[in-house]
Structures are given as structure tokens and as C-alpha cells.
Amino acid sequence: MLWQTEQQLEDLLCEVVSWDSRTGTEGEIQFAEKIKGKLLELEYFKERPTLIQFHDAGNERNAVTALYKQENIKKTIVLISHFDTVHTEEFGALGDLAFQPRELTKKFKEMLDSLPEDVQSDVTSGDYLFGRGTMDMKMGLVLHLHLLEQAIYEKWSINLLLVTVPDEEVNSSGMLTAVKGLVDIRERYDLNYTLFLNSEPSFSMQPQDAQYYIYSGTIGKIMPSALFYGRETHAGEPLQGINAHYMASFLTKKMEYNQAFSEEVYGERTPLPLCLKTYDLKADYSTQTSNHVAALYNVFLMKRNAKETMTSFREVATKAMEECAEEYRRVLAREENSEEHFNIDVWEYEELLNYARGKLGKEKTEEIIKETVALPNLDQREISMKVCDQIMAHCQELAPACILFFAPPYYPAINSSDDPLVQEKILLTKQLLQDHFNVKAEQVHYFNGISDLSYVNYDKDDKGWESYQNNTPVWDHLYTIPFDEMQKLQAPVLNIGPFGKDAHKLTERLHKQSAFVHTPFVLQKVVQTMFDGVIAGVGKE
């Protein structure tokens, strides 16, 4: 067997990490073929190459699925991972070693004094492998290859479907593509998806947290955003218009750390919202004030859906613009003895779009959107605000106004904490780790690192996603979420992965015993109890 011993697993990880697959690079494109090559080293797939499939994720990238199928068996565990990594600018002069775990770990031993104290300790212990992707999350993919090979060799009486995707770190286009593939594969092979099993690493809950966690859900994330469209004026005549930066400051102040967007479920709380980025859409420097500014706000979710988020966002924005208008009226009264009536309207994108269609006609409005979407060298968030801006440019009678919209990406929150199967597997995992390795594991209800589990097991009765569709300017042009297909993938989610530290940092590292001994053993037992009965005191299902 190829991928079963500690040494074999470490060798495979180092090989897979060496395949530089930073999001948006040529390496990410090439990775699918490379992982297919590894799968074809198994005799099972050599004889059944059609069970390996590519799923087009755009920009020449592919998600990969590989199905181990037992005859006359429907029960299937879906093994989910991503193979892209974040970039490596922080490595500086060590950039050539970022994807060479053994060499990088050795190099860190030679430069201990330049590393933080806790990192020095981990380097000298010999317990960790350093490198981009070791923790997040190529070890998760390696663990799934390990399970797949074991299932084939031992002829496990259950189906395993490996799913590994690109672009988890930016827009999750890999998983959004894979969702449709999952529905097709289930129907083609008459499968019953019983569990979606991810192996994202155990993430720390606070600095230098050494606790090992397993997860029964994944936190959600959404980006309610706003275009502030004021009235331009010369800086020498500041009260002849209204500066969009001034407008934006009122909403940003109200959104930042706003507890109205905080949720608490199972004793866990979402981080507070904040502004991720602001944009001045004025093209160049001049003494003209900017009449169009945009801001993106980050909101984490547990129970709240898109519709509820937009409702709360509108309430906050309306109050913010009322306060902005009131303050501006006071300035006018003080500086110009003016009692001019002044207000700032708040519109959702859907409302603005309907207004524009009524004024310009549907055909002209769609032409504006298509021309804007085609603008080069802009990402999905920039295009989103540009669409709002260009429509407002044709509807300036509405100014000053605040236009609310959603910018990609959107990760719905998913949770299976109350599912009996998940509760049983969490108990089993805790017992195995404690009894065999003296490792204490704790359950976390929402994985705090954002994961592709957001796109399975979506509430089949929820319609709140329609608000997202209607208020996302690039919907069906550059970005879509297959909500209908997601609602068809009804099975609980569980995340069991290796322990590591400092994801997305220069000192990203993986705990070797956790990765090559503890987690493979646990995952094997968790899967085996799905089909062959009693292990570690857990009864038959």
C-alpha cells in the first residue's frame, strides 16, 4: 500500500505541498491533473478511470471527484477538501522554501533567534512541519487519499466520494462547481449521501491555543455593502454639494462592532462586524469632492440568513443616513444660515434596478450592466460597486442616496450539532483520542475558519437566499450560488482534521503526530462504524 504508514503519509504530504497551487496561479490550474495522476497509482482507478471526474470551475481550473463504489450499496460518505493555498509574500527571501516543508523546517532551525518564542519551541521540538499548505489544508486531502486507498484495499462496505476543489481561499468557485457535480454523481450512481466529512485543520480559538477541536458546523459570512452617491462640488465651495466620504463615515461608524449583528448559538458567538475595505470611485486626484464612495462590511452568521441580514443592514443604514442628513442640515444652518430641506434616501439594489428599468427601459439597463461587468482588471467586489455606480450615473436625480447591495462571496452558516449521527461520531472521536493518545478533544459547533461545508446541507425550506440573489449586482454575470442544488444535498456535516498552528502566516505548521498518527486512526474508525458495527463502545447504527 502507498499511503498508510507515518512515513508514507509524510512523504505524500511533502509531495503535494511541493505542487505550488496558490489561488489564481498556473499551479492551481495544474494541480487537478497532478492529483488525478496520484489517484491513477491505485489499481482500482486504473481499471475504472471514468470514476475520476473533472468539474470546470472557470479560468481553466477544475474540481476533482473520485468515487469508490461498492456494488449494491448506496450509503456514501463525501470527503471534502480544497487544494489551493493563500499567497506567500510574507516569506520574503525564504520564498523558494515555502513549498518545501522539510527544507523550510530545517532553515527555521538555523534562524531561531528571528522567530517568535512559541515558534522557536515548536521548531526545536521536532514535532512540526512548516510550510504553506501543510496545515491549510493539503494534509486534509492527504488524509482522504489515505482513507480511499484503505477502503479499496479492505473492500469497505460503503462508498467514498473524494471531492477536492480549487479557489476555496477567495471565491469558493471550486466548491460551487462541485455542488452541481455532487447532485449529478448521486443521481447517476444511485447514491445516498450520509455524511459530508471535511478535514480542515483544528484552528486555534485564541493566541497560542493548543486545544484540539472537532467541528459540527461551519460559520457563515456575508458582505452587505453600500454605495454612497453624493453631489460633487469644488473643495473651495464645500457646501454646494455633499461629500460621499462624509456620508460613508456615518454608516461605517454604525456598522463597526455593531452588536445587532452578533449572534450567540450553543454558547458560541460570532465576531463583531467591521468594514473590510472602502473605495473612492473618483478616477483621479482633483479638488473636486468625490460623489461616489463604496464600502464593504464583513458580517459573520450562525442562524441569520441573507434576507434577515439585509433587513438589519437597511435599518442601520437608514438611521445612519438620517443622522448624516441632520448633521449636514446643522452645518448649513451654522455656515450659511440655511434652512434647506435635506435628506438622503436609502435604496436596496433591487429597488434601484427596478427604478432604472422604469426610467431607461429594461434593455438599456441591462446594457449598462453588461458593459460594466465586462470591465477588465476588476474583481467581483469592484464590479459589484461599479454596477451600482453606473446605474446611479443615469439616475442622478436620486442623489444623494445610499445604495445597499451584497458583494461576493457568501458563505451560509451550516450546523449539524443536533444530528444523532454527528453526536455519535463526535463522542467516538473524543473517546478514541483520549483512550489511545491521551488527547483531549473539544467540540466546536461552528468552524471559525470559513469552509466549503457552507455549500452543502442548506436548509431546504429557506427562501431568504432570494434576497441575496436580488441584491447582488453581479448575480448570473460573474457570481452565482447553486442554492437549489445545495438544498438537494441533505446530509449532516462533520469536520475532523489535523492540529496545526498559524494558518496563512510565515510560520504555518502542522503537528506531525496529529497528522500522521492520531487523525488517520480516528477517521478510519469513524468511517468503519458507518458500516461494520461496534468500535470503541459505539453500537451499530
Side-chain angles (χ1 to χ4, degrees), residues 426-480:
I426 287 174
L427 177 61
L428 171 62
T429 299
K430 288 181 175 181
Q431 289 177 340
L432 290 170
L433 287 170
Q434 184 66 57
D435 294 348
H436 292 266
F437 308 113
N438 197 30
V439 171
K440 187 179 188 309
E442 289 187 10
Q443 177 184 359
V444 172
H445 298 277
Y446 290 91
F447 177 72
N448 60 331
I450 305 293
S451 83
D452 283 329
L453 289 177
S454 282
Y455 302 114
V456 296
N457 200 36
Y458 190 82
D459 182 356
K460 63 181 183 297
D461 299 317
D462 180 75
K463 295 297 181 185
W465 60 265
E466 293 174 354
S467 175
Y468 190 84
Q469 171 184 294
N470 296 337
N471 286 298
T472 300
V474 295
W475 186 266
D476 263 349
H477 295 282
L478 298 176
Y479 187 74
T480 55

CSV table of all heavy atoms in Angstrom, one decimal, residues 426-480:
chain,number,residue,atom,x,y,z
A,426,ILE,N,-18.9,12.4,17.1
A,426,ILE,CA,-18.1,13.3,18.0
A,426,ILE,C,-17.7,12.5,19.3
A,426,ILE,O,-16.5,12.6,19.7
A,426,ILE,CB,-18.8,14.6,18.2
A,426,ILE,CG1,-18.8,15.4,17.0
A,426,ILE,CG2,-18.2,15.3,19.4
A,426,ILE,CD1,-19.7,16.7,17.1
A,427,LEU,N,-18.6,11.9,19.9
A,427,LEU,CA,-18.4,11.1,21.1
A,427,LEU,C,-17.3,10.0,20.8
A,427,LEU,O,-16.3,9.8,21.6
A,427,LEU,CB,-19.6,10.4,21.6
A,427,LEU,CG,-19.5,9.5,22.8
A,427,LEU,CD1,-19.0,10.3,24.0
A,427,LEU,CD2,-20.8,8.8,23.2
A,428,LEU,N,-17.4,9.3,19.7
A,428,LEU,CA,-16.4,8.3,19.3
A,428,LEU,C,-15.0,8.9,19.1
A,428,LEU,O,-14.0,8.4,19.6
A,428,LEU,CB,-16.9,7.6,18.0
A,428,LEU,CG,-15.8,6.7,17.3
A,428,LEU,CD1,-15.5,5.5,18.3
A,428,LEU,CD2,-16.3,6.2,16.0
A,429,THR,N,-15.0,10.1,18.5
A,429,THR,CA,-13.7,10.7,18.2
A,429,THR,C,-13.0,11.1,19.5
A,429,THR,O,-11.8,10.9,19.7
A,429,THR,CB,-13.9,12.0,17.3
A,429,THR,OG1,-14.4,11.6,16.1
A,429,THR,CG2,-12.6,12.7,17.1
A,430,LYS,N,-13.8,11.7,20.5
A,430,LYS,CA,-13.3,12.0,21.8
A,430,LYS,C,-12.7,10.8,22.5
A,430,LYS,O,-11.6,10.9,23.1
A,430,LYS,CB,-14.4,12.7,22.6
A,430,LYS,CG,-14.7,14.1,22.1
A,430,LYS,CD,-15.8,14.7,23.0
A,430,LYS,CE,-16.1,16.2,22.7
A,430,LYS,NZ,-17.1,16.7,23.6
A,431,GLN,N,-13.5,9.7,22.5
A,431,GLN,CA,-13.1,8.5,23.2
A,431,GLN,C,-11.8,8.0,22.6
A,431,GLN,O,-10.9,7.6,23.3
A,431,GLN,CB,-14.2,7.5,23.1
A,431,GLN,CG,-15.4,7.8,23.9
A,431,GLN,CD,-16.5,6.7,23.7
A,431,GLN,OE1,-16.5,6.0,22.7
A,431,GLN,NE2,-17.4,6.7,24.7
A,432,LEU,N,-11.7,7.9,21.3
A,432,LEU,CA,-10.5,7.3,20.6
A,432,LEU,C,-9.3,8.2,20.9
A,432,LEU,O,-8.2,7.6,21.2
A,432,LEU,CB,-10.8,7.3,19.1
A,432,LEU,CG,-11.8,6.3,18.6
A,432,LEU,CD1,-12.1,6.5,17.1
A,432,LEU,CD2,-11.3,4.8,18.8
A,433,LEU,N,-9.4,9.5,20.8
A,433,LEU,CA,-8.2,10.3,21.1
A,433,LEU,C,-7.8,10.3,22.5
A,433,LEU,O,-6.6,10.2,22.8
A,433,LEU,CB,-8.6,11.8,20.7
A,433,LEU,CG,-8.7,12.1,19.2
A,433,LEU,CD1,-9.2,13.4,18.9
A,433,LEU,CD2,-7.3,11.9,18.5
A,434,GLN,N,-8.8,10.2,23.4
A,434,GLN,CA,-8.4,10.1,24.9
A,434,GLN,C,-7.8,8.8,25.2
A,434,GLN,O,-6.7,8.7,25.8
A,434,GLN,CB,-9.6,10.4,25.7
A,434,GLN,CG,-9.4,10.4,27.2
A,434,GLN,CD,-8.5,11.6,27.6
A,434,GLN,OE1,-8.8,12.7,27.4
A,434,GLN,NE2,-7.4,11.3,28.2
A,435,ASP,N,-8.5,7.7,24.8
A,435,ASP,CA,-8.0,6.3,25.2
A,435,ASP,C,-6.7,5.9,24.5
A,435,ASP,O,-5.9,5.2,25.1
A,435,ASP,CB,-9.1,5.3,24.8
A,435,ASP,CG,-10.4,5.5,25.6
A,435,ASP,OD1,-10.4,6.3,26.6
A,435,ASP,OD2,-11.4,4.9,25.2
A,436,HIS,N,-6.5,6.3,23.2
A,436,HIS,CA,-5.3,5.8,22.5
A,436,HIS,C,-4.2,6.8,22.5
A,436,HIS,O,-3.0,6.3,22.4
A,436,HIS,CB,-5.7,5.5,21.1
A,436,HIS,CG,-6.6,4.3,20.9
A,436,HIS,ND1,-6.2,3.0,20.7
A,436,HIS,CD2,-8.0,4.2,21.0
A,436,HIS,CE1,-7.2,2.2,20.6
A,436,HIS,NE2,-8.3,2.9,20.8
A,437,PHE,N,-4.4,8.1,22.7
A,437,PHE,CA,-3.3,9.0,22.5
A,437,PHE,C,-3.3,10.1,23.7
A,437,PHE,O,-2.5,11.0,23.7
A,437,PHE,CB,-3.5,9.8,21.2
A,437,PHE,CG,-3.6,8.9,20.0
A,437,PHE,CD1,-4.8,8.8,19.3
A,437,PHE,CD2,-2.5,8.0,19.6
A,437,PHE,CE1,-4.9,8.0,18.2
A,437,PHE,CE2,-2.7,7.2,18.6
A,437,PHE,CZ,-3.8,7.2,17.8
A,438,ASN,N,-4.2,9.9,24.6
A,438,ASN,CA,-4.3,10.8,25.8
A,438,ASN,C,-4.4,12.3,25.3
A,438,ASN,O,-3.9,13.2,25.9
A,438,ASN,CB,-3.0,10.7,26.7
A,438,ASN,CG,-3.3,11.3,28.0
A,438,ASN,OD1,-4.4,11.4,28.5
A,438,ASN,ND2,-2.2,11.9,28.6
A,439,VAL,N,-5.2,12.4,24.2
A,439,VAL,CA,-5.5,13.8,23.7
A,439,VAL,C,-7.0,14.1,24.0
A,439,VAL,O,-7.9,13.4,23.7
A,439,VAL,CB,-5.3,13.8,22.2
A,439,VAL,CG1,-5.8,15.1,21.6
A,439,VAL,CG2,-3.8,13.6,21.8
A,440,LYS,N,-7.1,15.3,24.6
A,440,LYS,CA,-8.5,15.7,25.0
A,440,LYS,C,-9.0,16.6,23.8
A,440,LYS,O,-8.4,17.6,23.5
A,440,LYS,CB,-8.5,16.5,26.3
A,440,LYS,CG,-9.9,16.9,26.8
A,440,LYS,CD,-9.7,17.7,28.1
A,440,LYS,CE,-11.1,17.9,28.8
A,440,LYS,NZ,-12.1,18.5,27.9
A,441,ALA,N,-10.1,16.2,23.3
A,441,ALA,CA,-10.7,16.9,22.1
A,441,ALA,C,-12.0,17.6,22.6
A,441,ALA,O,-12.7,17.1,23.5
A,441,ALA,CB,-11.1,16.0,21.0
A,442,GLU,N,-12.2,18.8,22.1
A,442,GLU,CA,-13.4,19.5,22.4
A,442,GLU,C,-14.2,19.8,21.1
A,442,GLU,O,-13.7,20.0,20.1
A,442,GLU,CB,-13.1,20.9,23.1
A,442,GLU,CG,-12.6,20.8,24.5
A,442,GLU,CD,-12.4,22.1,25.1
A,442,GLU,OE1,-12.9,23.1,24.6
A,442,GLU,OE2,-11.8,22.2,26.2
A,443,GLN,N,-15.6,19.8,21.3
A,443,GLN,CA,-16.4,20.1,20.2
A,443,GLN,C,-16.6,21.6,20.0
A,443,GLN,O,-16.9,22.3,21.0
A,443,GLN,CB,-17.8,19.4,20.4
A,443,GLN,CG,-18.8,19.7,19.2
A,443,GLN,CD,-20.2,19.2,19.5
A,443,GLN,OE1,-20.4,18.5,20.6
A,443,GLN,NE2,-21.1,19.4,18.6
A,444,VAL,N,-16.5,22.1,18.8
A,444,VAL,CA,-16.9,23.4,18.4
A,444,VAL,C,-18.0,23.3,17.5
A,444,VAL,O,-18.0,22.5,16.5
A,444,VAL,CB,-15.7,24.2,17.8
A,444,VAL,CG1,-16.2,25.6,17.3
A,444,VAL,CG2,-14.6,24.4,18.9
A,445,HIS,N,-19.1,24.1,17.7
A,445,HIS,CA,-20.3,24.0,16.9
A,445,HIS,C,-20.2,24.7,15.5
A,445,HIS,O,-20.9,24.3,14.6
A,445,HIS,CB,-21.5,24.5,17.6
A,445,HIS,CG,-21.8,23.8,18.9
A,445,HIS,ND1,-22.5,22.6,18.9
A,445,HIS,CD2,-21.4,24.0,20.2
A,445,HIS,CE1,-22.6,22.2,20.2
A,445,HIS,NE2,-21.9,23.0,21.0
A,446,TYR,N,-19.3,25.7,15.4
A,446,TYR,CA,-19.1,26.4,14.2
A,446,TYR,C,-17.6,26.6,13.9
A,446,TYR,O,-17.0,27.3,14.6
A,446,TYR,CB,-19.8,27.8,14.2
A,446,TYR,CG,-21.3,27.7,14.2
A,446,TYR,CD1,-22.0,27.7,15.4
A,446,TYR,CD2,-22.0,27.7,13.0
A,446,TYR,CE1,-23.4,27.6,15.5
A,446,TYR,CE2,-23.4,27.6,13.1
A,446,TYR,CZ,-24.1,27.6,14.3
A,446,TYR,OH,-25.5,27.5,14.3
A,447,PHE,N,-17.2,25.9,12.9
A,447,PHE,CA,-15.8,26.1,12.5
A,447,PHE,C,-15.5,27.6,12.1
A,447,PHE,O,-16.3,28.2,11.4
A,447,PHE,CB,-15.5,25.2,11.2
A,447,PHE,CG,-14.1,25.4,10.6
A,447,PHE,CD1,-13.0,24.8,11.3
A,447,PHE,CD2,-14.0,26.0,9.4
A,447,PHE,CE1,-11.8,25.0,10.7
A,447,PHE,CE2,-12.7,26.1,8.8
A,447,PHE,CZ,-11.6,25.6,9.5
A,448,ASN,N,-14.5,28.1,12.7
A,448,ASN,CA,-14.3,29.6,12.7
A,448,ASN,C,-13.4,30.0,11.5
A,448,ASN,O,-13.1,31.2,11.4
A,448,ASN,CB,-13.8,30.1,14.0
A,448,ASN,CG,-12.4,29.5,14.4
A,448,ASN,OD1,-12.1,28.4,14.0
A,448,ASN,ND2,-11.6,30.2,15.1
A,449,GLY,N,-13.0,29.1,10.7
A,449,GLY,CA,-12.1,29.5,9.6
A,449,GLY,C,-12.7,29.6,8.2
A,449,GLY,O,-12.0,29.9,7.3
A,450,ILE,N,-14.0,29.5,8.1
A,450,ILE,CA,-14.8,29.5,6.9
A,450,ILE,C,-14.4,28.2,6.1
A,450,ILE,O,-13.2,27.9,5.9
A,450,ILE,CB,-14.4,30.8,6.0
A,450,ILE,CG1,-14.7,32.0,6.7
A,450,ILE,CG2,-15.2,30.7,4.7
A,450,ILE,CD1,-16.1,32.3,7.1
A,451,SER,N,-15.4,27.5,5.6
A,451,SER,CA,-15.1,26.3,4.9
A,451,SER,C,-16.1,26.0,3.8
A,451,SER,O,-17.2,26.6,3.8
A,451,SER,CB,-15.1,25.1,5.9
A,451,SER,OG,-16.4,24.6,6.1
A,452,ASP,N,-15.8,25.1,2.9
A,452,ASP,CA,-16.7,24.7,1.8
A,452,ASP,C,-17.9,23.9,2.3
A,452,ASP,O,-18.8,23.6,1.5
A,452,ASP,CB,-15.9,23.9,0.8
A,452,ASP,CG,-15.0,24.8,-0.1
A,452,ASP,OD1,-15.4,26.0,-0.3
A,452,ASP,OD2,-13.9,24.4,-0.5
A,453,LEU,N,-18.0,23.5,3.6
A,453,LEU,CA,-19.2,22.9,4.1
A,453,LEU,C,-20.4,23.8,4.0
A,453,LEU,O,-21.5,23.4,4.1
A,453,LEU,CB,-19.0,22.4,5.5
A,453,LEU,CG,-18.1,21.2,5.7
A,453,LEU,CD1,-17.9,20.9,7.2
A,453,LEU,CD2,-18.6,20.0,4.9
A,454,SER,N,-20.1,25.1,3.8
A,454,SER,CA,-21.2,26.1,3.7
A,454,SER,C,-22.1,25.8,2.5
A,454,SER,O,-23.3,26.3,2.5
A,454,SER,CB,-20.7,27.5,3.5
A,454,SER,OG,-20.2,28.1,4.7
A,455,TYR,N,-21.7,25.0,1.5
A,455,TYR,CA,-22.4,24.8,0.3
A,455,TYR,C,-23.1,23.4,0.2
A,455,TYR,O,-23.5,23.0,-0.9
A,455,TYR,CB,-21.5,25.1,-0.9
A,455,TYR,CG,-21.0,26.5,-0.8
A,455,TYR,CD1,-19.6,26.7,-0.7
A,455,TYR,CD2,-21.8,27.6,-0.9
A,455,TYR,CE1,-19.1,28.0,-0.6
A,455,TYR,CE2,-21.3,28.9,-0.8
A,455,TYR,CZ,-20.0,29.1,-0.7
A,455,TYR,OH,-19.5,30.4,-0.6
A,456,VAL,N,-23.2,22.8,1.3
A,456,VAL,CA,-24.0,21.5,1.4
A,456,VAL,C,-24.9,21.6,2.6
A,456,VAL,O,-24.8,22.5,3.5
A,456,VAL,CB,-23.1,20.3,1.5
A,456,VAL,CG1,-22.2,20.1,0.3
A,456,VAL,CG2,-22.2,20.3,2.8
A,457,ASN,N,-26.0,20.8,2.6
A,457,ASN,CA,-26.9,20.7,3.7
A,457,ASN,C,-27.6,22.0,4.0
A,457,ASN,O,-27.9,22.3,5.1
A,457,ASN,CB,-26.2,20.2,4.9
A,457,ASN,CG,-27.2,19.6,6.0
A,457,ASN,OD1,-28.2,19.0,5.6
A,457,ASN,ND2,-26.9,19.8,7.2
A,458,TYR,N,-27.8,22.8,2.9
A,458,TYR,CA,-28.5,24.1,3.1
A,458,TYR,C,-30.0,23.8,3.4
A,458,TYR,O,-30.6,23.0,2.8
A,458,TYR,CB,-28.4,24.9,1.8
A,458,TYR,CG,-28.9,26.4,2.0
A,458,TYR,CD1,-28.0,27.3,2.5
A,458,TYR,CD2,-30.2,26.7,1.6
A,458,TYR,CE1,-28.5,28.6,2.7
A,458,TYR,CE2,-30.6,28.1,1.7
A,458,TYR,CZ,-29.7,29.0,2.3
A,458,TYR,OH,-30.2,30.3,2.4
A,459,ASP,N,-30.5,24.6,4.4
A,459,ASP,CA,-31.9,24.4,4.8
A,459,ASP,C,-32.9,24.4,3.6
A,459,ASP,O,-33.0,25.3,2.9
A,459,ASP,CB,-32.3,25.6,5.7
A,459,ASP,CG,-33.7,25.5,6.3
A,459,ASP,OD1,-34.4,24.6,5.9
A,459,ASP,OD2,-34.1,26.4,7.1
A,460,LYS,N,-33.5,23.2,3.5
A,460,LYS,CA,-34.4,23.0,2.3
A,460,LYS,C,-35.6,23.9,2.3
A,460,LYS,O,-36.3,24.0,1.3
A,460,LYS,CB,-34.7,21.5,2.2
A,460,LYS,CG,-35.6,21.0,3.3
A,460,LYS,CD,-35.8,19.5,3.0
A,460,LYS,CE,-36.7,18.9,4.1
A,460,LYS,NZ,-36.1,18.9,5.4
A,461,ASP,N,-35.9,24.5,3.4
A,461,ASP,CA,-37.1,25.3,3.5
A,461,ASP,C,-36.8,26.8,3.4
A,461,ASP,O,-37.7,27.6,3.4
A,461,ASP,CB,-37.9,25.0,4.8
A,461,ASP,CG,-38.4,23.5,4.9
A,461,ASP,OD1,-38.9,23.0,3.8
A,461,ASP,OD2,-38.2,22.9,5.9
A,462,ASP,N,-35.5,27.1,3.4
A,462,ASP,CA,-35.2,28.6,3.5
A,462,ASP,C,-35.3,29.2,2.1
A,462,ASP,O,-34.9,28.7,1.1
A,462,ASP,CB,-33.7,28.7,3.9
A,462,ASP,CG,-33.3,30.2,4.0
A,462,ASP,OD1,-33.7,30.8,5.0
A,462,ASP,OD2,-32.6,30.6,3.1
A,463,LYS,N,-36.0,30.4,2.1
A,463,LYS,CA,-36.1,31.2,0.9
A,463,LYS,C,-35.4,32.6,1.1
A,463,LYS,O,-35.5,33.4,0.2
A,463,LYS,CB,-37.6,31.5,0.6
A,463,LYS,CG,-38.4,30.2,0.3
A,463,LYS,CD,-37.8,29.6,-1.0
A,463,LYS,CE,-38.6,28.3,-1.4
A,463,LYS,NZ,-38.0,27.6,-2.6
A,464,GLY,N,-34.7,32.7,2.2
A,464,GLY,CA,-34.0,34.0,2.4
A,464,GLY,C,-32.9,34.3,1.4
A,464,GLY,O,-32.5,35.4,1.2
A,465,TRP,N,-32.5,33.3,0.7
A,465,TRP,CA,-31.4,33.4,-0.3
A,465,TRP,C,-31.9,34.3,-1.5
A,465,TRP,O,-31.1,34.9,-2.2
A,465,TRP,CB,-30.9,32.1,-0.8
A,465,TRP,CG,-31.9,31.2,-1.4
A,465,TRP,CD1,-32.6,30.2,-0.8
A,465,TRP,CD2,-32.3,31.2,-2.8
A,465,TRP,NE1,-33.4,29.6,-1.7
A,465,TRP,CE2,-33.2,30.1,-2.9
A,465,TRP,CE3,-31.9,31.9,-3.9
A,465,TRP,CZ2,-33.8,29.8,-4.2
A,465,TRP,CZ3,-32.5,31.6,-5.1
A,465,TRP,CH2,-33.5,30.6,-5.2
A,466,GLU,N,-33.2,34.4,-1.7
A,466,GLU,CA,-33.7,35.2,-2.8
A,466,GLU,C,-33.3,36.6,-2.6
A,466,GLU,O,-33.1,37.4,-3.6
A,466,GLU,CB,-35.2,35.0,-2.9
A,466,GLU,CG,-35.6,33.6,-3.3
A,466,GLU,CD,-37.1,33.4,-3.3
A,466,GLU,OE1,-37.9,34.3,-2.8
A,466,GLU,OE2,-37.6,32.3,-3.7
A,467,SER,N,-33.2,37.1,-1.4
A,467,SER,CA,-32.8,38.5,-1.1
A,467,SER,C,-31.4,38.7,-1.6
A,467,SER,O,-31.0,39.7,-2.1
A,467,SER,CB,-32.9,38.8,0.4
A,467,SER,OG,-32.4,40.1,0.6
A,468,TYR,N,-30.5,37.6,-1.4
A,468,TYR,CA,-29.2,37.7,-1.8
A,468,TYR,C,-29.1,37.8,-3.4
A,468,TYR,O,-28.4,38.6,-3.9
A,468,TYR,CB,-28.4,36.5,-1.3
A,468,TYR,CG,-26.9,36.7,-1.6
A,468,TYR,CD1,-26.1,37.4,-0.7
A,468,TYR,CD2,-26.3,36.1,-2.7
A,468,TYR,CE1,-24.7,37.5,-0.9
A,468,TYR,CE2,-24.9,36.3,-3.0
A,468,TYR,CZ,-24.2,37.0,-2.0
A,468,TYR,OH,-22.8,37.2,-2.3
A,469,GLN,N,-29.8,36.9,-4.0
A,469,GLN,CA,-29.9,36.9,-5.5
A,469,GLN,C,-30.3,38.3,-6.0
A,469,GLN,O,-29.7,38.8,-7.0
A,469,GLN,CB,-30.8,35.8,-5.9
A,469,GLN,CG,-31.1,35.8,-7.4
A,469,GLN,CD,-32.1,34.7,-7.8
A,469,GLN,OE1,-31.9,33.5,-7.7
A,469,GLN,NE2,-33.3,35.2,-8.2
A,470,ASN,N,-31.4,38.8,-5.5
A,470,ASN,CA,-31.9,40.1,-6.0
A,470,ASN,C,-31.1,41.3,-5.7
A,470,ASN,O,-31.2,42.3,-6.4
A,470,ASN,CB,-33.3,40.3,-5.4
A,470,ASN,CG,-34.3,39.2,-5.8
A,470,ASN,OD1,-34.1,38.5,-6.9
A,470,ASN,ND2,-35.3,39.0,-5.1
A,471,ASN,N,-30.2,41.2,-4.7
A,471,ASN,CA,-29.4,42.4,-4.3
A,471,ASN,C,-27.9,42.2,-4.6
A,471,ASN,O,-27.1,43.0,-4.0
A,471,ASN,CB,-29.7,42.7,-2.8
A,471,ASN,CG,-31.1,43.3,-2.6
A,471,ASN,OD1,-31.3,44.4,-3.1
A,471,ASN,ND2,-31.9,42.7,-1.9
A,472,THR,N,-27.6,41.3,-5.4
A,472,THR,CA,-26.2,41.1,-5.8
A,472,THR,C,-26.0,41.5,-7.2
A,472,THR,O,-26.5,40.8,-8.1
A,472,THR,CB,-25.8,39.6,-5.6
A,472,THR,OG1,-25.9,39.2,-4.2
A,472,THR,CG2,-24.3,39.4,-6.0
A,473,PRO,N,-25.4,42.7,-7.5
A,473,PRO,CA,-25.3,43.2,-8.8
A,473,PRO,C,-24.6,42.3,-9.9
A,473,PRO,O,-25.0,42.4,-11.0
A,473,PRO,CB,-24.4,44.5,-8.6
A,473,PRO,CG,-24.7,44.9,-7.2
A,473,PRO,CD,-24.8,43.6,-6.4
A,474,VAL,N,-23.7,41.4,-9.4
A,474,VAL,CA,-23.1,40.6,-10.4
A,474,VAL,C,-23.7,39.2,-10.5
A,474,VAL,O,-23.2,38.3,-11.2
A,474,VAL,CB,-21.6,40.4,-10.1
A,474,VAL,CG1,-20.9,41.7,-10.2
A,474,VAL,CG2,-21.4,39.8,-8.7
A,475,TRP,N,-24.9,39.0,-9.9
A,475,TRP,CA,-25.6,37.7,-9.9
A,475,TRP,C,-25.9,37.3,-11.4
A,475,TRP,O,-26.4,38.1,-12.2
A,475,TRP,CB,-26.9,37.8,-9.1
A,475,TRP,CG,-27.5,36.5,-9.0
A,475,TRP,CD1,-28.5,35.9,-9.8
A,475,TRP,CD2,-27.2,35.5,-8.0
A,475,TRP,NE1,-28.8,34.6,-9.4
A,475,TRP,CE2,-28.1,34.3,-8.3
A,475,TRP,CE3,-26.3,35.4,-7.0
A,475,TRP,CZ2,-28.0,33.2,-7.5
A,475,TRP,CZ3,-26.3,34.2,-6.2
A,475,TRP,CH2,-27.1,33.2,-6.5
A,476,ASP,N,-25.5,36.1,-11.7
A,476,ASP,CA,-25.7,35.5,-13.0
A,476,ASP,C,-24.8,36.1,-14.1
A,476,ASP,O,-24.9,35.7,-15.3
A,476,ASP,CB,-27.2,35.6,-13.5
A,476,ASP,CG,-28.0,34.3,-13.2
A,476,ASP,OD1,-27.4,33.3,-12.9
A,476,ASP,OD2,-29.2,34.4,-13.3
A,477,HIS,N,-24.0,37.0,-13.7
A,477,HIS,CA,-23.0,37.5,-14.6
A,477,HIS,C,-21.6,37.0,-14.3
A,477,HIS,O,-20.9,36.4,-15.1
A,477,HIS,CB,-23.0,39.1,-14.6
A,477,HIS,CG,-24.2,39.7,-15.1
A,477,HIS,ND1,-24.6,39.8,-16.4
A,477,HIS,CD2,-25.3,40.2,-14.4
A,477,HIS,CE1,-25.7,40.4,-16.6
A,477,HIS,NE2,-26.2,40.7,-15.4
A,478,LEU,N,-21.2,37.2,-13.1
A,478,LEU,CA,-19.9,36.8,-12.6
A,478,LEU,C,-20.0,35.8,-11.4
A,478,LEU,O,-19.0,35.2,-11.1
A,478,LEU,CB,-19.0,38.0,-12.2
A,478,LEU,CG,-18.7,39.0,-13.3
A,478,LEU,CD1,-17.9,40.2,-12.7
A,478,LEU,CD2,-17.9,38.3,-14.4
A,479,TYR,N,-21.1,35.8,-10.8
A,479,TYR,CA,-21.2,35.0,-9.5
A,479,TYR,C,-22.6,34.5,-9.3
A,479,TYR,O,-23.6,35.2,-9.5
A,479,TYR,CB,-20.9,36.0,-8.3
A,479,TYR,CG,-20.8,35.3,-7.0
A,479,TYR,CD1,-19.7,34.5,-6.6
A,479,TYR,CD2,-21.8,35.5,-6.0
A,479,TYR,CE1,-19.6,33.9,-5.4
A,479,TYR,CE2,-21.7,34.9,-4.8
A,479,TYR,CZ,-20.6,34.1,-4.5
A,479,TYR,OH,-20.5,33.5,-3.2
A,480,THR,N,-22.7,33.2,-9.0
A,480,THR,CA,-23.9,32.6,-8.6
A,480,THR,C,-23.7,31.6,-7.5
A,480,THR,O,-22.5,31.1,-7.4
A,480,THR,CB,-24.6,31.9,-9.8
A,480,THR,OG1,-23.7,30.9,-10.4
A,480,THR,CG2,-25.1,32.8,-10.9
